[in-house]
Amino acid sequence: MSDRFHPLVAPRLARWIATELEDQASVFGIPRKLFFDPSPDDRFSTSIRGTRIETPIGVAAGPHTQLAQNIVAAWLCGARVIELKTVQTLDDIEVSKPCIDMQDAGYNIEWSQELRVRESFSEYLLAWVLIHALHARLGFPGERPGVLFDLSVGYDLAGLSQPNMQWFIEHMSDAQGELETCREEIGTFFPEIRDLPISSRLTDSVTLSTLHGCPPEEIGAIAEHLLEVWGLHTAVKLNPTLLGFDTVREILVGALGWSRVEPHRPAFDADIGYPDALELLVGMLPSARERGLEFSVKLCNTLPVVNRRPQFDSGETTAYLSGRPLHALAVQLAHRLTEDTNGELGISFAGGADAFN
C-alpha cells in the first residue's frame, strides 16, 4: 500500500456517493439516520460575517481536511465550520510514516499538506460542490448549505508570495471557471447541481499558521498581507507555549496528571512570548477594522513535547501534542487573552474538544 495520498477524480467520487446513498442509504459507511439534519429553528444556528450557518462547530485543520471525501463526511455529521488543511508553497515534501498516533492524547510529527497546491485546491472545490449537491439531494432546508470554509495557510511571507500560493488564494477567492467544470463533472450523478446557485467564492476567511519560533514582526507582516492584499478576515493560530514552560508543565503534569508528557523547553525559548503576542494582536485590531474585516485568534495550535513515541521511528526529537490534554491549556489562554483585550479579540476555539466538552 502506498503511503501517499492519491485523490479520487470528481466523477468517481460523485458516483460513489450517489450510488451508496441510493442503494444503502449511507455515504462512506455513515448511515442516513446519523446525518445531521438541520432545522431553521435550531437554537445553535447562528450568523458569521453575514452567512447563516447551521452550527458554529466544525473540524480544525489537519490531515483529515485534506481530501474531499473527509470534508464531506464531516459535513454530513454536523460540521459547518471547516478549517481546511494548511497549505504552503513547498508541496513536494517527504512525510515520515507513521506520522500520527491517536489513542487518548494525540501526537503527530507531520506539519504540512501532502498534496500539491493545485491538488489541494481541487479537493476543496470538489468538497464545496458535493456539499451543495448533497444539501439539495437530502432535502435540507434553505437555498444553500449553511457552511463556511476557512483557509489555513503558512508558514512565512516569502512562501505566501510565491506564484503557486498566490494562485491558490486567488482561486479560493474566485473559482468561477473551475467551479463550472466541476459542476459538469459530477452532473451525471447529481443532475440537480446544474441549476443550483453555488458561490464561486469558496472562502472569505483565513487562519495563519506559522512555525514554532516565528518572530512577531513576521507574523504581523503576514497578517497585514492577508488583510490588505487579499481582503480576508484573518485569524492567527497561537501556540500554548504562550503560557510559559512552568505554567504549561504545572497544568499538564501537576494538575491533570499527564506524567508521561514532557513539554519541549527549547520550543518555549524560541516561540513568541505572551507580552509580544498581546502587543501584536492589539495592534492588528484597528488595521482590520479600517478595512471592514475581522481579526481574531485561533486557540490553539499543537504543543511541542519530547518525542517518546515508539511509533515514530523517524529520529524526530519533538512531537506535537493535540487532543484532550490541550483543553485546559486553551481555556487558560483564552481566559487570559479575553481579560487582557477587554473581550474585543475574537477567538476560534479548537482546544482539544472531545465528546464531553
Side-chain angles (χ1 to χ4, degrees):
M1 179 184 294
S2 172
D3 67 350
R4 305 287 295 187
F5 280 174
H6 296 283
L8 294 175
V9 295
R12 183 176 177 185
L13 188 57
R15 180 177 60 189
W16 177 359
I17 293 171
T19 301
E20 185 181 338
L21 186 60
E22 174 69 22
D23 294 346
Q24 302 177 44
S26 66
V27 174
F28 307 134
I30 305 168
R32 173 67 177 86
K33 64 182 179 180
L34 295 183
F35 296 173
F36 170 69
D37 200 343
S39 167
D41 300 326
D42 287 334
R43 291 185 299 165
F44 40 78
S45 64
T46 187
S47 290
I48 297 181
R49 298 186 297 272
T51 297
R52 191 71 182 172
I53 59 172
E54 293 155 344
T55 76
I57 62 173
V59 287
H64 53 299
T65 58
Q66 289 189 85
L67 298 177
Q69 57 262 44
N70 294 347
I71 298 169
V72 170
W75 177 81
L76 287 169
C77 293
R80 290 301 186 268
V81 181
I82 312 289
E83 187 189 20
L84 304 167
K85 174 63 177 175
T86 305
V87 174
Q88 58 136 351
T89 187
L90 299 177
D91 59 1
D92 189 20
I93 62 174
E94 290 295 327
V95 177
S96 299
K97 301 293 179 72
C99 60
I100 299 171
D101 176 28
M102 291 298 298
Q103 296 178 45
D104 187 352
Y107 297 87
N108 75 83
I109 56 172
E110 61 87 34
W111 56 281
S112 188
Q113 87 271 17
E114 297 180 63
L115 301 177
R116 296 283 190 174
V117 168
R118 293 189 180 230
E119 287 179 322
S120 292
F121 165 76
S122 295
E123 289 297 293
Y124 302 158
L125 173 63
L126 177 55
W128 180 252
V129 176
L130 285 170
I131 285 171
H132 282 75
L134 281 165
H135 176 267
R137 178 69 59 89
L138 294 169
F140 289 167
E143 189 177 53
R144 296 178 177 86
V147 62
L148 286 177
F149 276 15
D150 184 49
L151 285 184
S152 180
V153 299
Y155 290 97
D156 55 29
L157 186 55
L160 283 176
S161 301
Q162 294 302 308
N164 60 345
M165 286 302 295
Q166 297 285 295
W167 181 93
F168 174 76
I169 299 174
E170 178 183 354
H171 283 74
M172 289 296 293
S173 299
D174 185 2
Q176 186 60 48
E178 292 85 355
L179 172 64
E180 295 311 313
T181 299
C182 187
R183 194 195 293 261
E184 282 302 311
E185 286 179 331
I186 73 170
T188 300
F189 308 100
F190 290 93
E192 59 269 49
I193 199 70
R194 295 192 173 101
D195 300 318
L196 287 179
I198 305 177
S199 173
S200 63
R201 178 155 199 168
L202 276 60
T203 184
D204 66 354
S205 61
V206 63
T207 298
L208 169 62
S209 183
T210 57
L211 298 179
H212 290 277
C214 186
E217 56 271 19
E218 174 78 0
I219 298 173
I222 304 171
E224 281 283 356
H225 175 81
L226 294 169
L227 289 165
E228 181 177 356
V229 175
W230 293 108
L232 294 168
H233 302 285
T234 300
V236 172
K237 193 181 297 184
L238 295 179
N239 299 315
T241 51
L242 285 179
L243 293 171
F245 180 86
D246 292 335
T247 298
V248 167
R249 196 174 192 285
E250 173 55 32
I251 292 173
L252 286 181
V253 182
L256 300 179
W258 290 91
S259 57
R260 296 184 181 182
V261 175
E262 181 59 37
H264 196 248
R265 187 182 286 274
F268 288 78
D269 297 335
D271 264 0
I272 183 175
Y274 186 85
D276 287 338
L278 182 61
E279 181 181 359
L280 166 68
L281 299 175
V282 171
M284 291 300 303
L285 286 170
S287 180
R289 288 195 198 105
E290 289 171 4
R291 299 177 173 93
L293 298 170
E294 293 182 7
F295 179 78
S296 58
V297 295
K298 177 190 172 186
L299 302 178
C300 54
N301 205 353
T302 50
L303 176 71
V305 297
V306 176
N307 181 16
R308 294 175 175 159
R309 313 305 294 173
Q311 294 87 345
F312 302 150
D313 58 1
S314 64
E316 295 284 345
T317 59
T318 307
Y320 297 92
L321 178 72
S322 61
R324 197 158 57 98
L326 278 191
H327 187 73
L329 300 179
V331 169
Q332 180 68 21
L333 191 51
H335 172 71
R336 190 170 175 185
L337 285 170
T338 299
E339 290 287 311
D340 290 341
T341 62
N342 297 315
E344 294 185 16
L345 187 66
I347 294 176
S348 171
F349 190 84
D354 60 22
F356 302 101
N357 56 42

